[in-house]
Amino acid sequence: MTKKLRVGILGATGMVGQRFIQLLEHHPQFEITALAASDRSQGKTFQEACTWRLAGEMPAFVRTMKVEAPQPPLDCQLIFSSLPGDIARDSEGSFAAAGYPVISNSSAYRLDRDVPLLIPEVNPDHLALLDSQRAGRGGHGGFIVTNPNCSTIMLALALAPLHSRFGVKSVIATTMQALSGAGYPGVASLAISDNVLPFIEGEEEKIEQETLKILGKVTAANVTDAPMDVSAQCNRVNVSDGHMAALRVKLVQAAGIEEVKAALASFTAIPQELHLHSAPAQPIIVREELDRPQPRLDRDAGNGMSVTIGRLLPDNVLDYRFVALSHNTIRGAAGAAILNAELLVALGKLNL
Ligand code: NAP
């Protein structure tokens, strides 16, 4: 049996960090050998530092591991990061400079022009940026690959087959985002009970900017943004897990509704061809029921890695409208980063 790659988790005690631990517990290619978090947690065992907030028990293998500072060196070959954006820039940068591949879930480097903002099904060609990133940042052998914001991943995955087949001219997205997206403790219960909050700091900008980069064209050292207009309005709703978005799309080339449905439902890409461990058989599931998708019923589709689409209809203002839903801490965060790492391994990009 091939030896597993030793990985470190930055932000291990958080909502996304806990998902990393849960998803990696029985992973065939990666084993967790280092955990890092803030100085509130450093020096403690993981079970002293972390209140486990996912269903089931805290995995036994992490309980006695010591939580360390998110700075090199750590006893691992690869870093998964789920640090807050403001901390991540310095920490992830220092790991990359010390020669570690950094697979980040934070926003800090997503829009840097030499950093791939990767969804393996959508833009694996953007990994071409790694050569210029390595050369431009000192040739130290380390690098940073990021995954998009949790709502952006769902939006870009849903748009990708439409964009490649018909071209997308414009998209309007109205999100309904789960509470776990704000980390723990997140939004105060008295603010969200019996309520919807029409503001999530930075989220609309992230969706509008990141989507253009993900669907853009890569050159040796840069990405040219996709020529489309994206408009996003984001709302926090009283749902534990699972982000939803109502989307309206205008296409460049006319397409019938059956063609649009077929493009979405039949979409597969390199992760499915390579049978990557975390790749869902169907990245996009199209449901016909009038009242789907719903967070409670559909967030775990494809082990939390599929985007579920429903309510696909012609639209009176743009061309088509539909509702998309995906699991924000799996496809939208930890699962996305793990799939990115699986692709890097499969393509021989890690040089370890
Ligand atoms: P969270 O639950 O608040 O966890 C934050 C983690 O970062 C904890 O491990 C915390 O450690 C650590 N941390 C906080 N301040 C630190 C500091 N000054 N130095 C070192 N470590 C520090 O947040 P989260 O929801 O997991 O989100 C983590 C990152 O993933 C964020 O960048 C977020 O934007 C991104 N993200 C989240 C989601 C989601 O659905 N939740 C989706 C996509 C992306 P302590 O426990 O020691 O404080």
Side-chain angles (χ1 to χ4, degrees), residues 9 32 47 63 79 141 240:
I9 315 288
I32 298 174
Q47 66 185 349
R63 288 184 192 170
I79 295 288
S240 58

Side-chain angles (χ1 to χ4, degrees), residues 11 13-16 37-38 40-41 82-84 87 105 180-181 183-184 328 332:
T13 51
M15 291 303 295
V16 178
S38 80
R40 291 181 288 278
S41 307
S82 56
L83 290 172
I87 311 296
N105 180 58
S180 59
Y184 195 90
N328 53 295

Side-chain angles (χ1 to χ4, degrees), residues 17 90 107 139 313 331:
D90 173 57
S107 57
L313 290 164
R331 176 55 97 160

Side-chain angles (χ1 to χ4, degrees), residues 39-288:
D39 53 12
R40 291 181 288 278
S41 307
Q42 291 161 27
K44 297 179 182 168
T45 62
F46 189 72
Q47 66 185 349
E48 286 166 347
C50 174
T51 305
W52 190 254
R53 305 210 180 265
L54 299 180
E57 297 297 321
M58 175 187 287
F61 75 98
V62 284
R63 288 184 192 170
T64 54
M65 287 176 69
K66 273 261 183 300
V67 179
E68 299 178 73
Q71 288 297 328
L74 284 181
D75 175 23
C76 59
Q77 298 164 285
L78 172 72
I79 295 288
F80 285 116
S81 170
S82 56
L83 290 172
D86 50 340
I87 311 296
R89 183 113 201 144
D90 173 57
S91 171
E92 294 175 5
S94 60
F95 277 103
Y100 296 77
V102 178
I103 317 298
S104 173
N105 180 58
S106 304
S107 57
Y109 285 92
R110 285 184 197 146
L111 294 180
D112 282 31
R113 300 321 288 182
D114 60 351
V115 172
L117 180 53
L118 181 66
I119 305 176
E121 285 93 342
V122 176
N123 60 350
D125 54 328
H126 286 208
L127 287 174
L129 295 174
L130 288 179
D131 291 339
S132 71
Q133 187 191 137
R134 280 177 160 142
R137 297 192 191 215
H140 38 59
F143 61 80
I144 299 170
V145 169
T146 58
N147 62 257
N149 161 276
C150 39
S151 294
T152 312
I153 294 188
M154 168 172 74
L155 180 69
L157 247 174
L159 292 179
L162 304 183
H163 191 51
S164 68
R165 294 276 274 277
F166 318 114
V168 172
K169 193 170 167 41
S170 46
V171 55
I172 297 174
T174 306
T175 70
M176 291 149 269
Q177 300 187 206
L179 296 170
S180 59
Y184 195 90
V187 184
S189 59
L190 281 179
I192 196 70
S193 299
D194 188 27
N195 214 2
V196 170
L197 301 175
F199 175 63
I200 305 176
E201 194 175 355
E203 199 78 358
E204 293 169 356
E205 296 81 350
K206 284 178 188 163
I207 294 173
E208 291 174 357
Q209 294 167 358
E210 292 178 16
T211 304
L212 301 183
K213 180 175 175 186
I214 296 160
L215 297 175
K217 288 230 175 324
V218 72
T219 58
N222 203 349
V223 179
T224 308
D225 282 350
M228 68 174 71
D229 297 314
V230 181
S231 165
Q233 284 189 302
C234 297
N235 302 284
R236 184 76 68 197
V237 296
N238 199 354
V239 164
S240 58
D241 288 312
H243 285 357
M244 191 148 145
L247 303 170
R248 286 174 166 73
V249 177
K250 185 162 188 56
L251 302 174
V252 175
Q253 204 183 303
I257 192 160
E258 290 305 324
E259 291 177 277
V260 170
K261 193 182 294 179
L264 293 167
S266 66
F267 179 63
T268 57
I270 192 169
Q272 287 69 40
E273 284 157 32
L274 296 176
H275 300 288
L276 299 183
H277 177 73
S278 305
Q282 284 179 276
I284 299 175
I285 295 170
V286 178
R287 298 205 67 109
E288 302 286 349

